[in-house]
Amino acid sequence: MKKLLLAFTLFIFGISLSQTLPKFENDTLTTSTGFKVYEGLDLKIGTGSMNDGDFKFIRTNASSLFNYSSTTGYQGLANQANSFRRSNSGLTFKVKKVMPRGNKKNGYVYYVKIGSGLINYEMDIENAIKYGEIIIPDEFMPKEKSQIQNSETKYDKLKKIKELKDAGVLSDEEFQKEKDKIMDEK
């Protein structure tokens, strides 16, 4: 009986793990939330998750001519120089390539290559989804992210954009535009 219970537990545990791990098959990545990413897909850029509004999980591709590398970092921030700029929020980019990195033993991290012209960017797709750096349908949002977004009040949103304005990230015009959007929400 104990062996049967153990086998059943391992089977159920294995099923639940397989449903949450990303899968890469036939040039299509199915993320842990079920969102499918493939070459040619249009991805809409969300908002950056770094304090200044730049993107933490979308950055200049390591093989790009425009990639900044330094042992000391850029103004003390190693990732900052290569981060995707906040001015890209709301734009749409085509997926050029899906790139799994890692190995079976240690696991994989999936990157998506996007870009325009000479500059290419790589996106840690799982974290970009988790932190809202790309916009995907609600049904594919991580559950905790959807719950956080739903519980955020107008006051919280106004406070957040006021902080961005005070930090110089948003201009007066951008602040007013965002404020009007928030006030028009139901």
Side-chain angles (χ1 to χ4, degrees):
M1 183 65 175
K2 286 182 183 179
K3 286 182 182 181
L4 182 59
L5 183 59
L6 177 63
F8 180 72
T9 304
L10 289 174
F11 175 73
I12 295 299
F13 184 67
I15 288 174
S16 67
L17 275 181
S18 67
Q19 291 173 349
T20 60
L21 293 177
K23 279 192 239 175
F24 186 62
E25 296 176 327
N26 302 325
D27 297 330
T28 299
L29 171 67
T30 304
T31 67
S32 61
T33 62
F35 184 66
K36 295 192 183 302
V37 181
Y38 48 88
E39 194 174 313
L41 175 70
D42 286 329
L43 288 178
K44 185 162 183 175
I45 304 301
T47 56
S49 60
M50 289 202 286
N51 291 339
D52 65 356
D54 282 348
F55 291 79
K56 183 174 184 177
F57 301 104
I58 307 174
R59 58 190 165 272
T60 307
N61 187 286
S63 62
S64 172
L65 293 173
F66 299 99
N67 188 43
Y68 176 84
S69 64
S70 167
T71 55
T72 58
Y74 173 74
Q75 297 177 352
L77 301 168
N79 193 39
Q80 192 74 21
N82 293 315
S83 66
F84 199 57
R85 301 289 174 233
R86 62 185 162 270
S87 58
N88 291 311
S89 290
L91 298 179
T92 301
F93 287 84
K94 279 206 181 301
V95 172
K96 291 183 172 182
K97 187 175 183 180
V98 179
M99 305 171 295
R101 293 188 189 152
N103 56 49
K104 232 178 187 175
K105 181 180 177 185
N106 296 319
Y108 292 93
V109 175
Y110 296 92
Y111 288 88
V112 172
K113 182 178 178 181
I114 62 171
S116 59
L118 294 174
I119 302 176
N120 289 306
Y121 299 93
E122 60 187 16
M123 175 190 312
D124 174 346
I125 191 74
E126 289 288 327
N127 281 313
I129 290 171
K130 182 177 179 182
Y131 290 96
E133 291 192 353
I134 60 169
I135 298 170
I136 61 171
D138 285 341
E139 66 194 84
F140 299 113
M141 290 295 291
K143 298 302 179 224
E144 64 275 3
K145 184 72 173 176
S146 295
Q147 291 164 356
I148 289 169
Q149 284 179 340
N150 292 339
S151 68
E152 190 175 44
T153 66
K154 282 185 182 184
Y155 173 77
D156 295 329
K157 292 175 184 178
L158 289 169
K159 183 178 175 188
K160 194 181 293 184
I161 65 166
K162 174 73 166 108
E163 289 171 356
L164 289 172
K165 180 183 178 267
D166 292 344
V169 174
L170 292 177
S171 68
D172 289 342
E173 184 183 13
E174 291 170 320
F175 170 76
Q176 191 60 47
K177 195 176 186 181
E178 290 300 320
K179 180 181 168 189
D180 292 342
K181 271 199 263 181
I182 292 168
M183 295 310 289
D184 288 341
E185 290 176 6
K186 290 184 179 185

